Amino acid sequence: MFNPLAGLPDDQQSMYSHSQNSVFKCGDKTSPISVILVSSGSRGNKLLFRYPFQRVPECSSSHSAKQRSPYALNTTGEGLGDQDGDSREHSPLTDEQLVAGFSDIVLSTILATKSDMCGKKFELKIDNVRFVGHPTLLQHPPIIQVSKTDPSPKREMPTMILFNVVFALRANADSSVISCMHNLSRRIAIALQHEERRCQYLTREAKLMLAVQEEITTMTETDGSPQSPFRQILPKCKLARDLTEAYDSLCTTGVVRLHINNWLEVSFCLPHKIHRIGGNYIPLEALERSLKAIRPYHALLLLESEKSLLSQLPLDCSPAMVRLIKTCSAVKNLQQLAQDADLALLQIFQIAAHLVYWGKAIIIYPLCENNVYMLSPHANISLYAPLAEQFAQQFPGNDLPSILAKFSLPVSLAEFRNPLEAPAQEIQLIQMVVWMLQRRLLIQLHTYVCLLVPPSEEEPGLRDEDPPLAARVGGRSLSTPSALSFGSPTSSDDMTLTSPSMDNSSAELLPGGDSPLNKRMTETLLASLSEHERQVILNIPSAQNQEDLRMFARLLHYFQGHHHLEEIMYNENMRRSQLKTLFDKFRSVLVVTNHEDPIISIFQSPME
């Protein structure tokens, strides 16, 4: 979908040198070792192309003239000077050595599967190499019979029955990487199958590859100097260049964007390469959990400028995505974004998750004066770091170390406000915070509340048979509702000016604090607590106020340390001042802590 190499010359976009890629992929479990294209047909199994190229051995020695089985593994150099084999443990094989042991004949035999296996995931592990592909059966259009006098060109009956685009990985590659590689192989196979049905594109490219191979073989037999046929195929064959570009992109940026036959676009993203913080990769499972936990009160922070993102979109992209990118702001939550972009909230969730998955945005909490930020422990705060130069160019008159020093301790944005300063200063502060969040220099802290009732003198410790508070209170499902009702703005400190009241929110207590119905509902909400906990809470002076007690009972299921202050405000349509007042009144049984939101923290701090 997005072009990771926008702005580079065409020759740099098409291919990289193998020496450069070896730095990125050697020993990397997320990078492929090789990409291989094989076919099977009436003329047997053929290895059409493989990349990187195998190094051609120097001709010389009687050992090269020795006849060997074509199916024997190439173990040249593995046992020289190491008869006992001990050094193999201390010097692991490089990626090139792993695939060099498989000759072209062996690969064409084991990777060109039978027709019964087509349309399914192909996975084969041999020693330290795992081959992943998606064998695809070709469905050729029926040949139209024409008269002998018809001058129009006739299509020859293709001889290819099936093909397989295979990625070779290290055997210990993660299962999520294997799944992603199979997905890319399947996408390329579908595009090639379509183009073969439309104009026999794959057949033409295969004939060109085989012709070059035969030509190089003839030259080698004539002058005796071995050459790699795949190196000669590359400048002549568009499909070979596409596979090479896919391999190079997987080893570097993780973003693949191909145009098969200059017609069909194949876009792919390897999240293991894109989502990286402090040199560590974000696990795919953690990323998926975070995307499923997106809520309407979250915001979307674009990591690139609007102009840059729009230039990377394909011509046939969704108009909704263009509208979202143009409307997106770090101070708007997703619900407000849906209203401004005139899109359904579910569609906003889907587009936001798509942008996050492709590494073009991250999930944050909307910027407001009550947000508390501090310096990330993983930030590069060197005075001469490249980020410091970029910051000085972006914000003249400010230097990054001095700004970061203000966030050494947790600080809210309200503390930076000066009523005597011009509004432009506040706008610049927001821009600087956004700039630092985009580069993971800051982390946001949220307020969490836990109910902790002091034990009685008769029972100094929690009895083993007493379940924890979370099990006794029972957490409500706080998933995003399908229908939201909108409240009206009540105060300037209300985090969401259009905060919805959730359909599954706590039982609304009727006005008239002393009514028997309200008392019974309060008792019902407190019934999940033990007798000692209820007595301690009821003995608090603020509990004598029935309004405060009802609000405490209503929010009891949030006091487990899993829901931060802003989430409670959104779900219950309450103001920050109301909650803080309640926490203060019941401070003898409530413990307030500040830490990162687990949903957002994976985009700000590396996983432990």
Side-chain angles (χ1 to χ4, degrees), residues 291-414:
L291 293 180
K292 291 178 181 178
I294 296 178
R295 295 293 179 261
Y297 54 79
H298 285 133
L300 190 67
L301 176 62
L302 301 179
L303 299 181
E304 300 179 22
S305 65
E306 174 186 323
K307 183 179 180 181
S308 174
L309 279 179
L310 294 177
S311 66
Q312 298 177 41
L313 294 175
L315 297 177
D316 59 346
C317 71
S318 170
M321 178 169 291
V322 177
R323 203 183 313 166
L324 182 143
I325 292 176
K326 291 182 177 180
T327 315
C328 187
S329 172
V331 298
K332 297 179 183 178
N333 61 29
L334 296 180
Q335 181 176 310
Q336 295 170 330
L337 186 59
Q339 295 173 358
D340 294 344
D342 195 20
L343 297 172
L345 185 58
L346 179 59
Q347 192 174 11
I348 291 290
F349 283 164
Q350 294 171 341
I351 299 177
H354 182 77
L355 290 172
V356 171
Y357 186 86
W358 278 77
K360 303 302 179 181
I362 59 174
I363 300 298
I364 63 169
Y365 191 80
L367 266 68
C368 70
E369 61 181 11
N370 296 299
N371 286 7
V372 177
Y373 297 98
M374 70 172 294
L375 181 64
S376 172
H378 309 282
N380 183 3
I381 57 176
S382 173
L383 182 62
Y384 301 104
L387 287 179
E389 299 179 5
Q390 299 175 18
F391 187 85
Q393 295 175 0
Q394 185 79 15
F395 307 101
N398 297 278
D399 62 289
L400 183 60
S402 299
I403 298 297
L404 291 178
K406 299 179 181 180
F407 293 92
S408 297
L409 295 176
V411 58
S412 67
L413 296 184

Side-chain angles (χ1 to χ4, degrees), residues 40 109 111-119 122 135-137 161-162:
S40 178
T109 303
L111 300 182
T113 64
K114 295 184 178 180
S115 301
D116 297 341
M117 300 182 63
C118 289
F122 173 82
T136 303
L137 192 65
I161 299 176
L162 60 90

Side-chain angles (χ1 to χ4, degrees), residues 119 129 540:
V129 182
I540 297 175

Side-chain angles (χ1 to χ4, degrees), residues 213-260:
Q213 292 184 27
E214 293 177 1
E215 179 183 352
I216 297 301
T217 302
T218 303
M219 292 176 56
T220 301
E221 293 175 353
T222 303
D223 53 22
S225 58
Q227 300 181 29
S228 172
F230 307 115
R231 190 180 299 276
Q232 307 301 323
I233 289 175
L234 198 57
K236 300 179 180 180
C237 182
K238 174 68 166 58
L239 179 56
R241 293 195 296 273
D242 286 339
L243 295 177
T244 301
E245 181 181 349
Y247 172 86
D248 290 333
S249 299
L250 290 172
C251 292
T252 52
T253 63
V255 176
V256 178
R257 188 183 183 187
L258 306 176
H259 285 85
I260 302 298

Side-chain angles (χ1 to χ4, degrees), residues 420-538:
L420 300 180
E421 290 181 347
Q425 296 293 329
E426 183 176 349
I427 296 176
Q428 188 182 48
L429 172 64
I430 295 176
Q431 293 174 345
M432 289 192 293
V433 173
V434 167
W435 190 93
M436 291 184 286
L437 287 174
Q438 289 175 331
R439 288 147 184 86
R440 277 80 164 184
L441 298 178
L442 298 180
I443 60 175
Q444 183 177 358
L445 303 182
H446 294 268
T447 301
Y448 292 81
V449 184
C450 296
L451 178 65
L452 187 61
V453 178
S456 62
E457 296 180 357
E458 294 80 6
E459 301 178 5
L462 182 67
R463 294 179 298 177
D464 295 337
E465 61 270 17
D466 287 342
L469 176 64
R472 286 179 284 136
V473 172
R476 244 191 20 239
S477 174
L478 299 178
S479 58
T480 304
S482 56
L484 298 176
S485 59
F486 300 96
S488 58
T490 54
S491 173
S492 60
D493 65 347
D494 192 352
M495 286 300 304
T496 54
L497 298 182
T498 53
S499 301
S501 299
M502 300 198 58
D503 295 340
N504 58 350
S505 62
S506 302
E508 293 292 338
L509 302 178
L510 302 176
D514 297 331
S515 65
L517 178 59
N518 280 335
K519 289 183 179 180
R520 285 198 302 270
M521 295 178 69
T522 303
E523 293 174 358
T524 302
L525 292 172
L526 295 176
S528 56
L529 301 177
S530 66
E531 182 64 27
H532 169 68
E533 291 173 334
R534 282 198 300 272
Q535 289 302 322
V536 172
I537 293 174
L538 293 175

Side-chain angles (χ1 to χ4, degrees), residues 165-292:
V165 178
V166 182
F167 290 97
L169 307 171
R170 286 185 170 266
N172 58 352
D174 189 78
S175 59
S176 59
V177 177
I178 298 173
S179 177
C180 289
M181 293 299 175
H182 168 251
N183 186 18
L184 176 58
S185 175
R186 182 178 60 86
R187 294 188 182 193
I188 296 177
I190 292 174
L192 290 175
Q193 185 184 47
H194 178 276
E195 288 303 282
E196 175 68 16
R197 187 183 302 114
R198 186 176 70 90
C199 59
Q200 292 190 349
Y201 170 70
L202 183 58
T203 298
R204 294 201 314 268
E205 295 292 283
K207 287 182 179 179
L208 182 59
M209 294 177 182
L210 293 176
V212 175
Q213 292 184 27
E214 293 177 1
E215 179 183 352
I216 297 301
T217 302
T218 303
M219 292 176 56
T220 301
E221 293 175 353
T222 303
D223 53 22
S225 58
Q227 300 181 29
S228 172
F230 307 115
R231 190 180 299 276
Q232 307 301 323
I233 289 175
L234 198 57
K236 300 179 180 180
C237 182
K238 174 68 166 58
L239 179 56
R241 293 195 296 273
D242 286 339
L243 295 177
T244 301
E245 181 181 349
Y247 172 86
D248 290 333
S249 299
L250 290 172
C251 292
T252 52
T253 63
V255 176
V256 178
R257 188 183 183 187
L258 306 176
H259 285 85
I260 302 298
N261 196 20
N262 293 321
W263 181 253
L264 291 182
E265 181 176 356
V266 175
S267 299
F268 175 80
C269 157
L270 184 62
H272 307 76
K273 286 292 180 68
I274 292 180
H275 299 281
R276 184 175 178 177
I277 300 178
N280 298 324
Y281 296 111
I282 299 177
L284 183 59
E285 298 78 9
L287 177 63
E288 291 176 348
R289 284 196 305 269
S290 179
L291 293 180
K292 291 178 181 178

